[in-house]
Amino acid sequence: MSNTRPLSRNRTCLLSLIGLVSLLVIAVIVIPSLITSKAEQRFGTASPQLSFKQRLYLSSLILLQSKELTEPMNPAGSEVNLTIEPGESVPAITGKLWEEGLIPNPGVFRSYLQFTGQDTSLKAGDYKLSSNMSPIEIAKAIQSSMSADVTLTILPGWRTEEIANALPTSGFNITAEEFFSAVHTHLDGYSFSSCTADGSLEGYLFPGSYTLPRDSTINDLLPQILMNFETQVNPELRSGFATHGLDLCQAVILASIVQREAMVEDEMPMIASVFYNRINSGAILASDPTVQYALGYNQSQDTWWTNPLSLQDLKVDSPYNTYLYSGLPPGPISNPSLAALKAIAFPAETPYYYFRAACDGSGRHLFSETFEEHLTNECP
């Protein structure tokens, strides 16, 4: 009987120790796992870049302050335009969001971004956000490069098809087919409307960058482009065209040819003078770009501007072929820049009738008065 009590006491101590160890296991392993699991259920998978200690710490923070991530600042909502600059830090971005009244707690918002790994993938851009969005929705919005405004850039000398082909990568929800259809519809109300009686706006799609909301339609975009032409082609330019005997339609046609001929902008007035000299003497324009325009898309070269042209190409029967038909072609062959239009309004005064590309790869031209001199300028 004397040994029974100590054995019972030892068993009780052992059970207590096992219980204590179990509680420690629960405290050290099970509870933290439950916390991180709960955070992932509510806020998404944790970043694999986090250590367990970091994941536990951030999980605890965002669970304790979950309302400040899941509820909007203002259910009634007000739209805010926000710009995130390239390279802008996460604290700076969250500070902007807080100042604009879009998030209630910059600290917990940063913790959420860190927990999910979104702090490394914020995108620069212009965004339209609203205070009726929850901070989590805002975080998702600024993960996307789909900024609120997008830009279409029209390069000088592009033809209509090239502009249409640039639309799918511009960010606008406008198809190439929609654009192409719109620019082949006659529009009244513009100073150049009489020039587009054939239903094509080729030549009047003014080069430049056009930034509009992503959801803009062709009816939003096209007037911006056309009004830019109206603004840029001012009365001084129009007077310059008239001085040289050209109306607006003719001036744009000639400018579109100069645009495609010139590789260097400061040569445009010289090239314009050559064409004026040819027109005034009754000679044909004999411009390669007009033939390129007539030929259209070259499948093998994957370009709208076949180069080089063969002798057979120069014989293509088209009113745009200025080797076969005298005078100006029936319409513009590209969309000329302001510099090309200025060259037509204010050309250089030269005795030249010919020009050809220099042989040094500079993109410049050699000009000559006679055909014989022109031949001597041919590259060896």
Side-chain angles (χ1 to χ4, degrees), residues 36-47 62 112 115-116:
T36 57
S37 176
K38 181 71 172 176
E40 289 195 328
Q41 288 175 10
R42 188 153 194 181
F43 299 107
T45 304
S47 168
I62 61 179
Y112 167 74
F115 176 80
T116 57

mmCIF file of all heavy atoms in Angstrom, residues 36-47 62 112 115-116:
data_model
loop_
_atom_site.group_PDB
_atom_site.id
_atom_site.type_symbol
_atom_site.label_atom_id
_atom_site.label_comp_id
_atom_site.label_asym_id
_atom_site.label_seq_id
_atom_site.Cartn_x
_atom_site.Cartn_y
_atom_site.Cartn_z
ATOM 1 N N THR A 36 -3.082 31.733 -40.257
ATOM 2 C CA THR A 36 -2.669 31.948 -41.660
ATOM 3 C C THR A 36 -3.671 31.341 -42.621
ATOM 4 O O THR A 36 -3.948 31.893 -43.692
ATOM 5 C CB THR A 36 -1.263 31.370 -41.909
ATOM 6 O OG1 THR A 36 -1.264 29.973 -41.567
ATOM 7 C CG2 THR A 36 -0.210 32.079 -41.074
ATOM 8 N N SER A 37 -4.237 30.185 -42.234
ATOM 9 C CA SER A 37 -5.235 29.539 -43.091
ATOM 10 C C SER A 37 -6.485 30.400 -43.206
ATOM 11 O O SER A 37 -7.049 30.564 -44.301
ATOM 12 C CB SER A 37 -5.590 28.168 -42.520
ATOM 13 O OG SER A 37 -6.611 27.563 -43.279
ATOM 14 N N LYS A 38 -6.895 30.969 -42.084
ATOM 15 C CA LYS A 38 -8.070 31.842 -42.084
ATOM 16 C C LYS A 38 -7.827 33.070 -42.952
ATOM 17 O O LYS A 38 -8.715 33.504 -43.711
ATOM 18 C CB LYS A 38 -8.375 32.269 -40.641
ATOM 19 C CG LYS A 38 -9.601 33.165 -40.489
ATOM 20 C CD LYS A 38 -10.869 32.409 -40.730
ATOM 21 C CE LYS A 38 -12.093 33.268 -40.388
ATOM 22 N NZ LYS A 38 -13.356 32.575 -40.711
ATOM 23 N N ALA A 39 -6.619 33.639 -42.859
ATOM 24 C CA ALA A 39 -6.287 34.818 -43.670
ATOM 25 C C ALA A 39 -6.316 34.475 -45.152
ATOM 26 O O ALA A 39 -6.806 35.262 -45.977
ATOM 27 C CB ALA A 39 -4.917 35.354 -43.271
ATOM 28 N N GLU A 40 -5.810 33.305 -45.502
ATOM 29 C CA GLU A 40 -5.804 32.908 -46.913
ATOM 30 C C GLU A 40 -7.216 32.642 -47.423
ATOM 31 O O GLU A 40 -7.519 32.944 -48.574
ATOM 32 C CB GLU A 40 -4.918 31.679 -47.106
ATOM 33 C CG GLU A 40 -3.430 31.979 -46.958
ATOM 34 C CD GLU A 40 -2.553 30.885 -47.500
ATOM 35 O OE1 GLU A 40 -2.966 29.711 -47.441
ATOM 36 O OE2 GLU A 40 -1.452 31.208 -47.991
ATOM 37 N N GLN A 41 -8.049 32.078 -46.563
ATOM 38 C CA GLN A 41 -9.443 31.859 -46.965
ATOM 39 C C GLN A 41 -10.143 33.182 -47.266
ATOM 40 O O GLN A 41 -10.959 33.277 -48.176
ATOM 41 C CB GLN A 41 -10.201 31.120 -45.856
ATOM 42 C CG GLN A 41 -9.829 29.658 -45.710
ATOM 43 C CD GLN A 41 -10.518 29.005 -44.519
ATOM 44 O OE1 GLN A 41 -11.419 29.584 -43.901
ATOM 45 N NE2 GLN A 41 -10.079 27.805 -44.167
ATOM 46 N N ARG A 42 -9.787 34.188 -46.482
ATOM 47 C CA ARG A 42 -10.490 35.467 -46.606
ATOM 48 C C ARG A 42 -9.864 36.397 -47.638
ATOM 49 O O ARG A 42 -10.566 37.135 -48.329
ATOM 50 C CB ARG A 42 -10.527 36.157 -45.249
ATOM 51 C CG ARG A 42 -11.391 37.392 -45.221
ATOM 52 C CD ARG A 42 -11.918 37.661 -43.856
ATOM 53 N NE ARG A 42 -12.996 38.645 -43.874
ATOM 54 C CZ ARG A 42 -13.599 39.063 -42.791
ATOM 55 N NH1 ARG A 42 -13.265 38.584 -41.602
ATOM 56 N NH2 ARG A 42 -14.570 39.964 -42.863
ATOM 57 N N PHE A 43 -8.530 36.367 -47.739
ATOM 58 C CA PHE A 43 -7.850 37.379 -48.558
ATOM 59 C C PHE A 43 -7.044 36.802 -49.719
ATOM 60 O O PHE A 43 -6.405 37.545 -50.448
ATOM 61 C CB PHE A 43 -6.930 38.224 -47.670
ATOM 62 C CG PHE A 43 -7.649 38.967 -46.592
ATOM 63 C CD1 PHE A 43 -7.550 38.575 -45.274
ATOM 64 C CD2 PHE A 43 -8.459 40.046 -46.895
ATOM 65 C CE1 PHE A 43 -8.215 39.253 -44.262
ATOM 66 C CE2 PHE A 43 -9.138 40.728 -45.898
ATOM 67 C CZ PHE A 43 -9.025 40.336 -44.578
ATOM 68 N N GLY A 44 -7.062 35.497 -49.876
ATOM 69 C CA GLY A 44 -6.330 34.895 -50.976
ATOM 70 C C GLY A 44 -5.003 34.313 -50.530
ATOM 71 O O GLY A 44 -4.546 34.528 -49.410
ATOM 72 N N THR A 45 -4.375 33.588 -51.429
ATOM 73 C CA THR A 45 -3.130 32.887 -51.128
ATOM 74 C C THR A 45 -2.028 33.863 -50.747
ATOM 75 O O THR A 45 -1.840 34.902 -51.396
ATOM 76 C CB THR A 45 -2.683 32.062 -52.347
ATOM 77 O OG1 THR A 45 -3.745 31.187 -52.716
ATOM 78 C CG2 THR A 45 -1.446 31.238 -52.026
ATOM 79 N N ALA A 46 -1.291 33.497 -49.689
ATOM 80 C CA ALA A 46 -0.176 34.338 -49.247
ATOM 81 C C ALA A 46 0.976 34.241 -50.235
ATOM 82 O O ALA A 46 1.159 33.226 -50.924
ATOM 83 C CB ALA A 46 0.288 33.902 -47.858
ATOM 84 N N SER A 47 1.754 35.296 -50.316
ATOM 85 C CA SER A 47 2.915 35.310 -51.200
ATOM 86 C C SER A 47 3.904 34.218 -50.797
ATOM 87 O O SER A 47 4.259 34.085 -49.619
ATOM 88 C CB SER A 47 3.608 36.678 -51.136
ATOM 89 O OG SER A 47 4.869 36.620 -51.766
ATOM 90 N N ILE A 62 -4.091 41.734 -40.834
ATOM 91 C CA ILE A 62 -5.210 41.953 -41.756
ATOM 92 C C ILE A 62 -6.496 41.305 -41.257
ATOM 93 O O ILE A 62 -7.602 41.780 -41.576
ATOM 94 C CB ILE A 62 -4.881 41.488 -43.193
ATOM 95 C CG1 ILE A 62 -4.571 39.999 -43.240
ATOM 96 C CG2 ILE A 62 -3.724 42.302 -43.761
ATOM 97 C CD1 ILE A 62 -4.251 39.487 -44.648
ATOM 98 N N TYR A 112 -1.801 44.161 -46.436
ATOM 99 C CA TYR A 112 -2.545 43.300 -47.365
ATOM 100 C C TYR A 112 -1.757 43.092 -48.658
ATOM 101 O O TYR A 112 -1.657 41.958 -49.166
ATOM 102 C CB TYR A 112 -3.913 43.911 -47.659
ATOM 103 C CG TYR A 112 -4.620 43.270 -48.818
ATOM 104 C CD1 TYR A 112 -5.196 42.011 -48.697
ATOM 105 C CD2 TYR A 112 -4.686 43.913 -50.055
ATOM 106 C CE1 TYR A 112 -5.839 41.409 -49.777
ATOM 107 C CE2 TYR A 112 -5.325 43.329 -51.131
ATOM 108 C CZ TYR A 112 -5.895 42.073 -50.994
ATOM 109 O OH TYR A 112 -6.516 41.473 -52.060
ATOM 110 N N PHE A 115 1.079 40.758 -47.893
ATOM 111 C CA PHE A 115 0.596 39.397 -47.642
ATOM 112 C C PHE A 115 0.324 38.672 -48.956
ATOM 113 O O PHE A 115 0.686 37.510 -49.132
ATOM 114 C CB PHE A 115 -0.671 39.443 -46.781
ATOM 115 C CG PHE A 115 -1.293 38.095 -46.550
ATOM 116 C CD1 PHE A 115 -0.775 37.237 -45.593
ATOM 117 C CD2 PHE A 115 -2.407 37.683 -47.280
ATOM 118 C CE1 PHE A 115 -1.342 35.984 -45.383
ATOM 119 C CE2 PHE A 115 -2.971 36.440 -47.078
ATOM 120 C CZ PHE A 115 -2.440 35.588 -46.128
ATOM 121 N N THR A 116 -0.316 39.343 -49.891
ATOM 122 C CA THR A 116 -0.696 38.721 -51.166
ATOM 123 C C THR A 116 0.401 38.800 -52.217
ATOM 124 O O THR A 116 0.284 38.177 -53.274
ATOM 125 C CB THR A 116 -1.964 39.379 -51.720
ATOM 126 O OG1 THR A 116 -1.724 40.791 -51.864
ATOM 127 C CG2 THR A 116 -3.144 39.146 -50.798
#
